[in-house]
């Protein structure tokens, strides 16, 4: 009888320790579920519009697929539509404060319009002629070859944080 109770106590302690270890990186009681969703728009697009608080990673992957990475509750509410050569990605209705990353292929894209609080990055892309238009509080760090322009939307300014004032 005492041995059975001791086994139950040890199992309960083990489960508690494993639970605390699993949540240690996210803070007390916070569990982050990361999910992936691939979207194939099936149509040729020349322009992409992204809305919402997202991280955008630009790639030269083959095809026209979009990859979403983040909490499955957030991914489920992302809306994508294609109209007249423009792919619209709307992530404004996120349900959590978790990071949502959108991986975009920019091989044939000439215009990327971003509205919201976005971080745009790439580790190295090749572009023919790409304009990135920013509407909101965004940070851009794109390593590229080819012609790329970063343009502020109406009513916005661009500050080059890599340069020191007076340079």
């Amino acid at each position: 009888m005492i041995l059975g109770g001791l086994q139950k106590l040890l199992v309960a302690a083990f489960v508690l320790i494993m639970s605390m270890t699993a949540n240690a990186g996210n803070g007390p009681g916070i569990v982050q579920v990361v999910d992936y969703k691939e979207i194939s728009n099936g149509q040729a697009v020349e322009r992409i519009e992204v809305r919402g608080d997202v991280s955008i990673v630009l790639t030269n992957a083959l095809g026209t697929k979009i990859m979403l990475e983040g909490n499955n509750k957030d991914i489920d509410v992302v809306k994508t539509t294609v109209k007249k050569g423009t792919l619209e990605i709307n992530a404004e209705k996120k349900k959590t404060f978790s990071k949502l990353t959108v991986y975009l292929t920019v091989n044939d894209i000439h215009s990327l319009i971003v509205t919201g609080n976005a971080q745009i990055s790439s580790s190295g892309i090749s572009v023919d002629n790409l304009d990135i238009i920013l509407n909101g509080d965004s940070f851009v760090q794109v390593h590229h070859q080819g012609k790329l322009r970063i343009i502020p939307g109406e009513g916005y300014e661009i500050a080059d944080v890599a340069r020191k004032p007076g340079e």
Side-chain angles (χ1 to χ4, degrees):
M1 185 87 160
I2 294 176
L3 187 57
L6 184 60
Q7 284 178 327
K8 288 180 185 177
L9 181 62
L10 288 174
V11 168
F14 178 74
V15 169
L16 179 63
I17 291 170
M18 293 306 290
S19 174
M20 290 170 54
T21 304
N23 290 331
N26 295 325
I30 299 173
V31 177
Q32 181 172 346
V33 178
V34 176
D35 201 2
Y36 298 91
K37 181 178 181 182
E38 233 178 68
I39 301 167
S40 179
N41 61 31
Q43 299 180 30
V45 295
E46 295 181 359
R47 175 178 158 149
I48 299 175
E49 294 182 11
V50 180
R51 290 184 183 87
D53 179 10
V54 297
S55 293
I56 300 170
V57 178
L58 306 177
T59 72
N60 281 127
L62 296 175
T64 57
K65 292 185 177 168
I66 302 148
M67 175 84 89
L68 302 175
E69 176 184 19
N71 186 301
N72 57 355
K73 291 179 184 177
D74 293 335
I75 289 174
D76 288 343
V77 297
V78 172
K79 301 291 183 208
T80 59
T81 57
V82 178
K83 296 177 188 173
K84 298 180 182 179
T86 299
L87 168 63
E88 296 175 0
I89 302 170
N90 188 338
E92 289 179 314
K93 295 187 179 183
K94 280 179 46 177
K95 297 190 180 277
T96 72
F97 294 108
S98 299
K99 180 178 177 181
L100 178 64
T101 303
V102 180
Y103 295 88
L104 297 176
T105 302
V106 293
N107 296 342
D108 299 319
I109 303 302
H110 298 291
S111 180
L112 171 61
I113 301 168
V114 180
T115 302
N117 182 10
Q119 294 78 40
I120 304 166
S121 64
S122 77
S123 59
I125 57 171
S126 178
V127 295
D128 183 31
N129 186 16
L130 177 63
D131 290 343
I132 299 176
I133 302 164
L134 304 174
N135 297 295
D137 186 16
S138 298
F139 178 79
V140 180
Q141 186 173 8
V142 176
H143 301 280
H144 70 285
Q145 290 181 332
K147 185 177 178 187
L148 183 137
R149 295 185 315 158
I150 299 174
I151 303 166
E154 189 173 325
Y156 291 94
E157 297 178 357
I158 292 183
D160 187 350
V161 296
R163 294 186 183 163
K164 295 177 185 166
E167 283 188 52

